[in-house]
């Protein structure tokens, strides 16, 4: 691989390869320091960014950051690259691409045509030389629309995943959280549960429970139990009502091997879900979650910085045409993103890169209790992402997930965003909210539980 050299005054800085240059140019985060790949000084970081800005985009097609022979994600990226879409920017450097993305001529329509010509490494590289406001402005231009039982990602709309987790999977507790979320107009992206007891039998019980609620009240949304993809395949084989297939994904084959799946597993699951034909307005059946630091925590980062690994995971997501993708940005902990500043930067980077690559990108705006962050930091990130056109965030009672033990966004936070920026729920879901007398067109909530919810579902009322 080529070495990269930059002369600044009387000093010469040398970077041994593209991977090292990318890592040194990455804004400071604790995970890169832990991995030993971060710039030693702010001066070295600034020089690396200057050097990276001069790298031709074609370099990323000629120098794989993880060897083609050993990594199926590298092969996916290289083999799936659209040379025709790339022609528009093929003469550019990373710095040129930044300037072009920010220009008035680079419209949302232009960005849509470019998607398959941009590799994850190109997206990661350009994000490293962009300010927060740059990331917000460009992401705002990108519209990525997906459909299952409603339409997500339209400009002027903002959705939520209703996350009714319970530490013992108590059905009454889960049902109460679902009702609470619906009363605050949450849940249009998905009603998605992380099971406390993660096995096929329990996941099937949860899937049937959510499906009964959705069908009984004719809610134009989709359900998901966030279990391992192989469990979901077995649930489908057993006749469970599966809407979306979930899997956490990483940016290297070794990462995904540690998670217990590969690209063929995802292909099998996608095909199984498509054959169910449960979508009413579309058939985007996949839901992926990611997070900076996952490859490092699995000792599977190949010397790359954590943000570049993260964006490589988006190649996996893009290949399977998902309904939803979200970065669980602060969940892994301060070992990878130390404080509120690092979490905010990472969330904006992830959202920008995902949208640039054509993903329906959301964000779990979150932190763990041992991170140097608080809810005001999350308010800041939530507000920035909403302005950047984020597809969806989480909706959890009181911002506190009592099963996963981390802090995220609440049902009220979604209302705040919609009222502040005039953003609406998914069109089909908003029509349902009005029909059920939950919320009117002026974002006013019904102060009483509507009469349509006065009768309890037998399944829910009979559970302990």
């Amino acid at each position: 691989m080529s070495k990269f050299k930059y002369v600044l005054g009387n000093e010469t800085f040398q970077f041994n390869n593209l991977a090292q240059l990318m890592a040194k140019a990455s804004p400071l985060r604790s995970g890169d320091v832990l991995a030993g790949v971060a710039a030693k000084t702010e001066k070295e970081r600034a020089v690396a960014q200057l050097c990276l800005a001069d790298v031709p985009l074609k370099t990323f097609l000629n120098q794989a950051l993880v060897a083609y022979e050993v990594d199926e994600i590298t092969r996916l990226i290289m083999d799936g690259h659209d040379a025709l879409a790339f022609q528009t920017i093929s003469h550019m450097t990373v710095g040129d691409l930044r300037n072009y993305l920010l220009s008035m001529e680079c419209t949302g329509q232009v960005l849509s045509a470019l998607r398959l010509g941009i590799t994850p490494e190109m997206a990661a590289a350009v994000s490293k030389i962009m300010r927060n406001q740059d990331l917000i402005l460009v992401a705002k231009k990108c519209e990525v629309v997906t459909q299952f039982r409603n339409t997500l990602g339209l400009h002027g709309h903002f959705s939520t995943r209703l996350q009714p987790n319970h530490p013992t999977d108590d059905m009454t507790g889960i049902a109460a959280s679902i009702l609470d979320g619906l009363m605050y107009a949450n849940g249009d992206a998905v009603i998605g549960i992380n099971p406390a007891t993660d096995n096929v039998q329990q996941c099937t019980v949860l899937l049937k429970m959510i499906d009964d609620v959705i069908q009984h009240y004719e809610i134009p949304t989709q359900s998901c139990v966030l279990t391992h993809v192989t469990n979901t395949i077995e649930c489908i084989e057993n006749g469970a009502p599966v809407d979306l297939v979930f899997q956490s994904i990483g940016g290297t084959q070794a990462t995904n091997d540690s998670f217990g799946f590969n690209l063929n597993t995802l292909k099998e699951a996608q095909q199984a879900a498509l054959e169910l034909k449960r979508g009413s307005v579309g058939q985007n059946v996949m839901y992926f979650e990611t997070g900076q630091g996952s490859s490092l925590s699995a000792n599977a980062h190949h010397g790359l910085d954590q943000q570049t690994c993260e964006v490589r995971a988006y190649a996996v997501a893009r290949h399977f045409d998902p309904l939803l993708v979200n970065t669980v940005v602060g969940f892994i902990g301060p070992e990878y993103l130390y404080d509120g500043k690092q979490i905010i930067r990472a969330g904006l980077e992830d959202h920008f890169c995902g949208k640039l690559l054509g993903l329906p990108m959301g964000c779990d705006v979150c932190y763990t209790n041992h991170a140097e962050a608080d809810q005001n930091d999350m308010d800041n990130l939530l507000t920035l992402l909403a302005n950047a056109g984020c597809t969806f965030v989480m909706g959890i009672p009181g911002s506190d997930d009592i099963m996963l033990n981390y802090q995220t966004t609440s049902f009220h936070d979604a209302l705040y965003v919609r009222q502040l920026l005039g953003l609406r729920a998914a069109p089909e879901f908003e029509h349902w909210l009005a029909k059920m007398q939950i919320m009117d067109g002026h974002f006013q909530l019904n102060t009483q539980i509507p009469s349509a919810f006065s009768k309890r579902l037998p399944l829910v009322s009979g559970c302990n």
Side-chain angles (χ1 to χ4, degrees):
M1 287 190 177
S2 302
K3 293 185 178 181
F4 299 86
K5 186 166 64 175
Y6 197 91
V7 178
L8 184 66
N10 295 325
E11 291 186 84
T12 299
F13 294 80
Q14 185 165 293
F15 306 95
N16 293 328
N17 50 52
L18 187 56
Q20 185 183 78
L21 177 62
M22 293 273 280
K24 300 287 188 182
S26 195
L28 176 66
R29 60 212 58 201
S30 52
D32 291 340
V33 175
L34 180 66
V37 301
K40 297 296 189 294
T41 65
E42 288 299 323
K43 185 175 185 180
E44 185 184 23
R45 178 172 293 107
V47 169
Q49 290 171 343
L50 288 168
C51 188
L52 182 60
D54 290 337
V55 173
L57 294 178
K58 289 180 179 177
T59 304
F60 294 94
L61 301 177
N62 300 322
Q63 297 187 27
L65 299 186
V66 182
Y68 183 93
E69 296 76 16
V70 303
D71 189 271
E72 67 175 358
I73 296 176
T74 297
R75 295 193 290 273
L76 179 69
I77 292 168
M78 295 296 191
D79 296 346
H81 182 250
D82 189 329
L84 184 62
F86 181 63
Q87 281 185 359
T88 303
I89 58 173
S90 62
H91 62 288
M92 295 183 183
T93 64
V94 173
D96 293 333
L97 179 60
R98 173 194 174 272
N99 294 338
Y100 181 63
L101 293 175
L102 290 166
S103 69
M104 297 293 287
E105 66 182 286
C106 188
T107 62
Q109 186 175 3
V110 169
L111 287 168
S112 180
L114 280 177
R115 288 171 183 169
L116 296 180
I118 299 174
T119 68
E121 291 86 352
M122 293 175 195
V126 76
S127 75
K128 295 176 191 297
I129 64 169
M130 297 173 80
R131 291 172 56 186
N132 286 4
Q133 65 173 245
D134 300 337
L135 300 174
I136 294 167
L137 183 61
V138 178
K140 180 74 171 182
K141 299 182 193 180
C142 301
E143 184 179 57
V144 182
V145 178
T146 57
Q147 294 181 307
F148 190 76
R149 290 202 188 97
N150 56 29
T151 305
L152 303 171
L154 294 166
H155 281 314
H157 294 257
F158 182 78
S159 299
T160 65
R161 168 188 161 193
L162 202 172
Q163 186 170 313
N165 295 344
H166 193 279
T168 63
D169 287 339
D170 179 80
M171 293 298 169
T172 302
I174 291 171
S177 292
I178 292 175
L179 177 61
D180 191 19
L182 293 172
M183 292 302 98
Y184 282 99
N186 279 242
D188 51 338
V190 64
I191 301 176
I193 299 176
N194 299 89
T197 304
D198 193 0
N199 58 48
V200 172
Q201 181 180 1
Q202 182 62 19
C203 289
T204 300
V205 170
L206 292 171
L207 283 165
K208 288 180 177 178
M209 182 266 192
I210 313 173
D211 188 61
D212 281 349
V213 172
I214 289 174
Q215 300 303 326
H216 181 83
Y217 293 113
E218 300 179 326
I219 309 172
T221 191
Q222 34 282 329
S223 68
C224 187
V225 172
L226 283 71
T227 186
H228 193 272
V229 61
T230 55
N231 285 344
T232 302
I233 292 172
E234 191 170 341
C235 286
I236 292 173
E237 291 172 347
N238 293 342
V242 172
D243 290 342
L244 304 183
V245 174
F246 169 81
Q247 183 56 47
S248 294
I249 57 175
T252 67
Q253 181 177 334
T255 306
N256 294 333
D257 285 345
S258 75
F259 290 166
F261 75 93
N262 57 33
L263 297 180
N264 284 333
T265 317
L266 296 179
K267 182 178 180 181
E268 179 187 353
Q270 182 189 38
Q271 188 58 43
L274 286 171
E275 290 175 0
L276 297 178
K277 297 180 180 179
R278 290 177 58 83
S280 55
V281 297
Q283 290 296 328
N284 298 112
V285 297
M286 305 299 282
Y287 173 21
F288 297 115
E289 286 189 347
T290 67
Q292 288 194 28
S294 60
S295 292
L296 175 57
S297 67
N299 195 28
H301 62 109
H302 294 273
L304 303 184
D305 66 272
Q306 65 183 40
Q307 190 250 348
T308 299
C309 283
E310 167 74 5
V311 185
R312 282 171 53 90
Y314 302 162
V316 177
R318 182 167 67 176
H319 184 67
F320 291 98
D321 199 18
L323 181 77
L324 303 166
V325 180
N326 71 276
T327 167
V328 192
V329 65
F331 183 74
I332 302 182
E335 299 86 358
Y336 305 96
L337 295 170
Y338 179 71
D339 57 16
K341 182 177 181 179
Q342 291 186 13
I343 293 171
I344 289 169
R345 173 69 191 190
L348 294 177
E349 287 172 349
D350 294 351
H351 178 256
F352 159 81
C353 290
K355 293 291 284 292
L356 187 64
L357 294 170
L359 290 177
M361 204 68 191
C363 183
D364 191 341
V365 179
C366 64
Y367 64 102
T368 57
N369 289 316
H370 62 309
E372 292 295 321
D374 60 25
Q375 210 63 39
N376 285 325
D377 294 314
M378 300 306 104
D379 286 350
N380 292 342
L381 178 54
L382 173 65
T383 305
L384 294 171
L385 285 170
N387 277 282
C390 185
T391 301
F392 72 107
V393 296
M394 306 303 113
I396 293 177
S399 303
D400 183 10
D401 191 307
I402 58 174
M403 194 277 278
L404 293 174
N405 292 312
Y406 78 115
Q407 309 303 312
T408 180
T409 45
S410 72
F411 302 144
H412 304 76
D413 292 331
L415 276 184
Y416 149 73
V417 166
R418 287 170 174 165
Q419 291 174 350
L420 177 71
L421 301 175
L423 300 175
R424 317 200 75 88
E428 300 88 345
F429 191 79
E430 187 165 278
H431 177 76
W432 178 82
L433 292 171
K435 183 183 74 171
M436 299 295 286
Q437 299 180 324
I438 294 171
M439 185 178 75
D440 64 23
H442 302 288
F443 308 102
Q444 294 298 311
L445 293 176
N446 192 337
T447 57
Q448 305 293 325
I449 294 180
S451 58
F453 288 93
S454 61
K455 294 182 179 179
R456 298 164 67 191
L457 280 172
L459 174 64
V460 175
S461 62
C463 290
N464 295 317

